[in-house]
């Protein structure tokens, strides 16, 4: 079995042709306008609204600040019920807004927040549910909305992995009050760094725009304590050049997913995470679950061997957020409360997924995964 000559990362950023980017840079140089809603920003906002069919979309300098702003725009406080099986940013934005995160366990199949366990966490202080469409797998959006409606709660989604995802033909950001997308380079569509909020309520637009620009209304009026969440022109120009590459990258990744699935199906102790019926796959990640008992090795064994052969698979999301020292003393962080999340964190492994991988790469990666078993 051969080692890869250079590291195979879990993903690779889409890189537009430099000449194409230069053409936008020339426009920027010509205009001498580098931020605060210039032509590139206007162009990207419109292009993205059309692309993902968003009624309202606000661009941000990154997804984390976008999520911070979403919470501010809905004036959330007190407690927010959320998942521990996610990237640190999801929970940190609550902490930065002086909100107590309340961890709810996840659905053992989808790995998104389990709607049957949400209500037991609702108290007089609860103001919202913050779900994550983890790996682009949609949350149980209908059930979550029903709970929110019954208890008068807001719903926010971290849709960082769900760019272009639809559920029964409906764009994913149609669900909930606000959805956040991240345009970090590890994400399928990116702007170098960047993010966006998408929301149905047009009344939110003005407040979100003030919040992301220091609360400035006019030269002499600052009407609320805003932050700097603006996306600059260089980022927006990157996005305008990356967007046309998304479809063909998704098609390539979809083929790679099928290859992996073929080679890894019928392997005892390995399951492949699938998006549910009626969902379009964002092709953000390809993840497997290694069941130590039946596979004969743990996820960490497989992860370690892949590393030896220069394959940088990732343990998203280990450790659980609820195990970070800053959250582990919360009562909702107790292990008994989070059994499914615990086992997902111990078993899931994200394998390399990007368009430039070829058949021999995939078969070699699978061979490394299975080599202990032969
Ligand atoms: C990437 C990511 C974020 C953070 O987005 P940034 O644009 O890097 O700030 C938040 N949540 C999830 C689930 C992510 O994967």
């Amino acid at each position: 079995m051969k080692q890869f000559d250079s590291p195979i990362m879990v993903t690779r950023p889409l890189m537009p042709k430099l000449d194409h980017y230069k053409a936008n840079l020339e426009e920027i140089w010509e205009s001498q306008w580098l931020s605060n809603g210039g032509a590139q920003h206007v162009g990207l906002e419109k292009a993205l609204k059309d692309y993902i069919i968003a009624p309202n979309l606000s661009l941000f300098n990154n997804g984390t600040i976008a999520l911070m702003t979403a919470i501010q725009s809905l004036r959330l406080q007190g407690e927010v019920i959320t998942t521990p099986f996610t990237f640190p940013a999801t929970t940190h934005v609550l902490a930065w807004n002086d909100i107590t995160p309340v961890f709810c366990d996840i659905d053992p199949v989808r790995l998104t927040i389990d709607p049957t366990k949400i209500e037991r966490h609702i108290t007089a202080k609860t103001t919202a549910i913050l779900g994550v469409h983890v790996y682009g797998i949609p949350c149980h959006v209908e059930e979550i909305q029903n709970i929110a409606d019954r208890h008068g709660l807001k719903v926010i989604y971290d849709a960082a992995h769900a760019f272009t995802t639809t559920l029964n033909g409906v764009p994913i950001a149609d669900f909930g009050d606000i959805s956040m997308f991240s345009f970090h380079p590890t994400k399928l569509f990116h702007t170098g760094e960047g993010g966006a909020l998408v929301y149905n309520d047009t009344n939110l637009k003005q407040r979100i725009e003030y919040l992301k620009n220091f609360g400035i209304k006019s030269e002499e009026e600052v009407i609320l304590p805003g932050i700097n969440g603006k996306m600059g022109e260089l980022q927006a120009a990157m996005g305008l050049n990356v967007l046309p590459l998304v479809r063909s990258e998704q098609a390539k990744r979809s083929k790679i997913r099928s290859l992996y699935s073929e080679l890894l199906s019928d392997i005892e102790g390995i399951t492949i995470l699938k998006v549910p019926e009626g969902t379009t796959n964002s092709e953000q990640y390809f993840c497997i679950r290694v069941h130590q008992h039946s596979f004969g090795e743990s996820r960490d064994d497989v992860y370690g061997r892949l590393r030896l052969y220069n394959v940088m698979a990732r343990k998203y999301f280990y450790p659980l957020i609820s195990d970070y020292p800053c959250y582990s003393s919360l009562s909702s962080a107790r292990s008994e409360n989070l059994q499914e999340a615990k086992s997902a964190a111990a078993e899931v492994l994200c394998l390399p997924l990007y368009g430039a991988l070829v058949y021999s790469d995939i078969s070699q990666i699978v061979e490394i995964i299975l080599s202990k078993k032969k």
Side-chain angles (χ1 to χ4, degrees):
M1 209 165 47
K2 223 170 94 250
Q3 188 188 36
F4 284 93
D5 296 332
S6 52
I8 303 286
M9 308 310 281
V10 75
T11 190
R12 259 194 213 172
L14 274 173
M15 296 302 290
K17 288 222 161 53
L18 189 54
D19 281 347
H20 292 177
Y21 188 52
K22 276 188 187 156
N24 291 69
L25 290 183
E26 276 164 16
E27 292 172 16
I28 295 170
W29 256 244
E30 186 67 31
S31 70
Q32 301 187 32
W33 190 285
L34 293 174
S35 191
N36 293 50
Q40 309 293 319
H41 187 284
V42 171
L44 182 62
E45 205 167 271
K46 171 156 194 344
L48 279 173
K49 267 178 78 167
D50 294 345
Y51 199 87
I52 59 171
I53 316 172
N56 297 288
L57 185 146
S58 301
L59 291 173
F60 279 83
N61 48 5
N62 63 61
T64 305
I65 294 290
L67 202 51
M68 286 278 293
T69 306
I71 288 164
Q72 287 280 328
S73 74
L74 296 174
R75 299 178 168 88
L76 302 183
Q77 37 182 327
E79 297 172 359
V80 169
I81 299 170
T82 190
T83 168
F85 190 68
T86 182
F87 185 73
T90 317
T91 314
H92 289 345
V93 297
L94 296 173
W96 274 54
N97 276 296
D98 208 16
I99 289 169
T100 306
V102 177
F103 298 111
C104 176
D105 207 1
I106 58 173
D107 173 318
V109 178
R110 290 199 190 191
L111 311 185
T112 55
I113 192 166
D114 184 344
T116 67
K117 295 179 178 165
I118 290 176
E119 278 183 296
R120 67 185 68 163
H121 295 292
I122 295 176
T123 71
K125 291 188 183 147
T126 310
T127 54
I129 300 164
L130 169 53
V132 180
H133 304 304
V134 70
Y135 314 131
I137 301 169
C139 290
H140 294 274
V141 290
E142 304 286 351
E143 292 90 330
I144 291 171
Q145 193 59 57
N146 287 340
I147 295 167
D149 289 345
R150 273 205 300 282
H151 298 272
L153 307 176
K154 299 288 185 190
V155 178
I156 298 186
Y157 287 114
D158 178 334
H161 304 166
F163 189 71
T164 72
T165 290
T166 62
L167 185 56
N168 301 319
V170 179
I172 197 69
D174 222 52
F175 302 99
D177 292 284
I178 305 185
S179 296
M180 176 279 277
F181 293 92
S182 163
F183 304 147
H184 184 265
T186 52
K187 309 304 197 288
L188 174 76
F189 168 73
H190 72 88
T191 56
E193 287 269 7
L197 292 181
V198 175
Y199 42 98
N200 285 321
D201 182 1
T202 307
N203 292 327
L204 279 175
K205 176 88 183 169
Q206 189 62 72
R207 182 167 164 82
I208 288 174
E209 295 299 319
Y210 287 148
L211 279 168
K212 77 176 209 194
N213 188 30
F214 314 101
I216 294 176
K217 186 175 180 190
S218 67
E219 242 174 325
E220 298 189 355
E221 282 174 290
V222 177
I223 58 168
L224 46 78
I227 199 162
N228 182 359
K230 300 186 306 297
M231 176 183 281
E233 289 292 273
L234 298 174
Q235 292 170 278
M238 187 66 162
L240 281 167
N241 284 287
V242 171
L243 195 58
L245 310 179
V246 165
R247 288 240 195 279
S248 75
E249 173 70 10
Q250 281 176 319
K252 286 179 198 155
R253 290 187 183 196
S254 163
K255 287 209 181 94
I256 293 164
R257 169 183 308 281
S258 310
L259 270 176
Y260 270 130
S261 304
E262 220 171 275
L263 297 171
L264 286 166
S265 65
D266 302 328
I267 305 290
E268 208 193 329
I270 289 189
T271 46
I272 295 162
L273 293 195
K274 294 199 178 77
V275 300
E277 201 70 28
T279 307
T280 51
N281 200 319
S282 62
E283 303 298 351
Q284 173 64 54
Y285 291 113
F286 179 84
C287 306
I288 60 171
R289 222 170 146 151
V290 182
H291 307 272
Q292 178 165 15
H293 203 69
S294 42
F295 187 65
E297 270 191 336
S298 69
R299 183 275 313 273
D300 288 351
D301 294 332
V302 175
Y303 166 86
R305 185 165 57 252
L306 284 165
R307 292 246 138 178
L308 284 179
Y309 287 87
N310 235 347
V311 180
M312 307 296 147
R314 296 296 300 268
K315 299 189 229 178
Y316 296 141
F317 290 97
Y318 175 86
L320 285 182
I321 312 274
S322 45
D323 287 334
Y324 297 177
C326 47
Y327 303 118
S328 60
S329 60
L330 293 171
S331 68
S332 66
R334 291 187 326 268
S335 290
E336 317 88 88
N337 178 38
L338 302 169
Q339 285 305 311
E340 299 300 343
K342 287 259 166 204
S343 52
E347 294 176 351
V348 174
L349 189 61
C350 294
L351 301 182
L353 179 67
Y354 52 86
L357 289 168
V358 296
Y359 179 82
S360 60
D361 297 330
I362 306 299
S363 60
Q364 199 176 330
I365 292 167
V366 171
E367 200 184 333
I368 297 165
I369 293 170
L370 302 181
S371 57
K372 194 70 182 290
K373 303 283 286 179
K374 282 183 181 159

Short mmCIF file of all heavy atoms in Angstrom, two decimals, residues 139-157:
data_model
loop_
_atom_site.label_atom_id
_atom_site.label_comp_id
_atom_site.label_asym_id
_atom_site.label_seq_id
_atom_site.Cartn_x
_atom_site.Cartn_y
_atom_site.Cartn_z
N CYS A 139 -31.97 19.97 9.16
CA CYS A 139 -32.61 19.70 10.46
C CYS A 139 -34.05 19.27 10.20
O CYS A 139 -34.58 19.45 9.11
CB CYS A 139 -32.64 20.99 11.29
SG CYS A 139 -31.04 21.52 11.88
N HIS A 140 -34.71 18.77 11.23
CA HIS A 140 -36.15 18.46 11.15
C HIS A 140 -36.90 19.79 11.22
O HIS A 140 -37.45 20.16 12.26
CB HIS A 140 -36.56 17.56 12.32
CG HIS A 140 -35.93 16.21 12.28
ND1 HIS A 140 -36.47 15.17 11.57
CD2 HIS A 140 -34.79 15.74 12.84
CE1 HIS A 140 -35.71 14.10 11.71
NE2 HIS A 140 -34.67 14.42 12.47
N VAL A 141 -36.91 20.49 10.10
CA VAL A 141 -37.36 21.89 10.11
C VAL A 141 -38.84 22.05 10.48
O VAL A 141 -39.20 23.02 11.16
CB VAL A 141 -37.05 22.59 8.77
CG1 VAL A 141 -35.56 22.81 8.61
CG2 VAL A 141 -37.61 21.79 7.59
N GLU A 142 -39.68 21.13 10.03
CA GLU A 142 -41.12 21.27 10.33
C GLU A 142 -41.37 21.10 11.83
O GLU A 142 -42.06 21.92 12.45
CB GLU A 142 -41.94 20.21 9.58
CG GLU A 142 -41.76 20.21 8.06
CD GLU A 142 -42.44 21.38 7.38
OE1 GLU A 142 -43.21 22.10 8.05
OE2 GLU A 142 -42.20 21.59 6.17
N GLU A 143 -40.81 20.04 12.40
CA GLU A 143 -41.01 19.78 13.82
C GLU A 143 -40.46 20.93 14.66
O GLU A 143 -41.07 21.35 15.65
CB GLU A 143 -40.31 18.47 14.24
CG GLU A 143 -40.94 17.21 13.65
CD GLU A 143 -40.35 16.80 12.31
OE1 GLU A 143 -39.90 17.70 11.55
OE2 GLU A 143 -40.34 15.59 12.00
N ILE A 144 -39.32 21.44 14.26
CA ILE A 144 -38.69 22.54 15.02
C ILE A 144 -39.57 23.78 14.97
O ILE A 144 -39.80 24.45 15.97
CB ILE A 144 -37.27 22.82 14.49
CG1 ILE A 144 -36.34 21.64 14.86
CG2 ILE A 144 -36.72 24.13 15.03
CD1 ILE A 144 -34.97 21.68 14.21
N GLN A 145 -40.11 24.05 13.78
CA GLN A 145 -40.97 25.24 13.65
C GLN A 145 -42.23 25.08 14.50
O GLN A 145 -42.68 26.04 15.14
CB GLN A 145 -41.34 25.48 12.18
CG GLN A 145 -41.97 26.84 11.93
CD GLN A 145 -41.04 27.98 12.33
OE1 GLN A 145 -39.91 28.08 11.85
NE2 GLN A 145 -41.49 28.84 13.25
N ASN A 146 -42.78 23.87 14.53
CA ASN A 146 -43.98 23.62 15.36
C ASN A 146 -43.70 23.90 16.83
O ASN A 146 -44.50 24.55 17.50
CB ASN A 146 -44.45 22.17 15.20
CG ASN A 146 -45.12 21.95 13.85
OD1 ASN A 146 -45.54 22.91 13.20
ND2 ASN A 146 -45.19 20.71 13.41
N ILE A 147 -42.56 23.42 17.30
CA ILE A 147 -42.20 23.65 18.70
C ILE A 147 -42.04 25.16 18.94
O ILE A 147 -42.55 25.71 19.92
CB ILE A 147 -40.88 22.91 19.05
CG1 ILE A 147 -41.10 21.40 18.94
CG2 ILE A 147 -40.39 23.30 20.44
CD1 ILE A 147 -39.81 20.59 18.96
N ALA A 148 -41.34 25.82 18.03
CA ALA A 148 -41.09 27.26 18.18
C ALA A 148 -42.42 28.02 18.21
O ALA A 148 -42.60 28.92 19.04
CB ALA A 148 -40.22 27.76 17.04
N ASP A 149 -43.33 27.64 17.33
CA ASP A 149 -44.62 28.33 17.29
C ASP A 149 -45.40 28.12 18.59
O ASP A 149 -46.00 29.05 19.12
CB ASP A 149 -45.45 27.82 16.10
CG ASP A 149 -44.88 28.30 14.77
OD1 ASP A 149 -44.04 29.23 14.79
OD2 ASP A 149 -45.25 27.74 13.72
N ARG A 150 -45.36 26.89 19.08
CA ARG A 150 -46.10 26.61 20.33
C ARG A 150 -45.57 27.41 21.51
O ARG A 150 -46.32 27.77 22.40
CB ARG A 150 -45.98 25.11 20.67
CG ARG A 150 -47.04 24.24 20.01
CD ARG A 150 -47.27 22.96 20.80
NE ARG A 150 -46.09 22.12 20.93
CZ ARG A 150 -45.61 21.33 19.97
NH1 ARG A 150 -46.22 21.26 18.80
NH2 ARG A 150 -44.54 20.60 20.17
N HIS A 151 -44.26 27.68 21.51
CA HIS A 151 -43.65 28.33 22.67
C HIS A 151 -43.20 29.76 22.41
O HIS A 151 -42.54 30.36 23.25
CB HIS A 151 -42.45 27.49 23.15
CG HIS A 151 -42.83 26.12 23.62
ND1 HIS A 151 -43.22 25.84 24.91
CD2 HIS A 151 -42.94 24.95 22.94
CE1 HIS A 151 -43.52 24.56 25.02
NE2 HIS A 151 -43.36 23.99 23.83
N GLY A 152 -43.53 30.27 21.24
CA GLY A 152 -43.15 31.66 20.93
C GLY A 152 -41.65 31.87 20.84
O GLY A 152 -41.13 32.86 21.35
N LEU A 153 -40.94 30.93 20.21
CA LEU A 153 -39.48 31.04 20.08
C LEU A 153 -39.07 31.39 18.65
O LEU A 153 -39.79 31.08 17.70
CB LEU A 153 -38.82 29.70 20.47
CG LEU A 153 -39.20 29.10 21.82
CD1 LEU A 153 -38.52 27.75 21.99
CD2 LEU A 153 -38.81 30.06 22.95
N LYS A 154 -37.93 32.00 18.51
CA LYS A 154 -37.34 32.23 17.19
C LYS A 154 -36.53 31.00 16.78
O LYS A 154 -36.11 30.21 17.65
CB LYS A 154 -36.40 33.45 17.22
CG LYS A 154 -37.09 34.74 17.59
CD LYS A 154 -37.98 35.23 16.47
CE LYS A 154 -38.57 36.61 16.79
NZ LYS A 154 -39.61 36.96 15.81
N VAL A 155 -36.31 30.87 15.48
CA VAL A 155 -35.51 29.75 14.97
C VAL A 155 -34.40 30.30 14.08
O VAL A 155 -34.67 31.04 13.12
CB VAL A 155 -36.37 28.76 14.16
CG1 VAL A 155 -35.50 27.64 13.61
CG2 VAL A 155 -37.50 28.20 15.01
N ILE A 156 -33.17 29.96 14.42
CA ILE A 156 -32.02 30.35 13.59
C ILE A 156 -31.33 29.07 13.12
O ILE A 156 -31.21 28.11 13.89
CB ILE A 156 -31.02 31.22 14.38
CG1 ILE A 156 -31.70 32.52 14.82
CG2 ILE A 156 -29.79 31.54 13.55
CD1 ILE A 156 -30.75 33.50 15.48
N TYR A 157 -30.89 29.07 11.87
CA TYR A 157 -30.12 27.93 11.38
C TYR A 157 -28.71 28.34 10.98
O TYR A 157 -28.52 29.33 10.28
CB TYR A 157 -30.82 27.28 10.17
CG TYR A 157 -32.06 26.51 10.58
CD1 TYR A 157 -33.32 26.93 10.18
CD2 TYR A 157 -31.95 25.39 11.41
CE1 TYR A 157 -34.46 26.23 10.57
CE2 TYR A 157 -33.08 24.69 11.81
CZ TYR A 157 -34.33 25.11 11.39
OH TYR A 157 -35.44 24.43 11.80
#
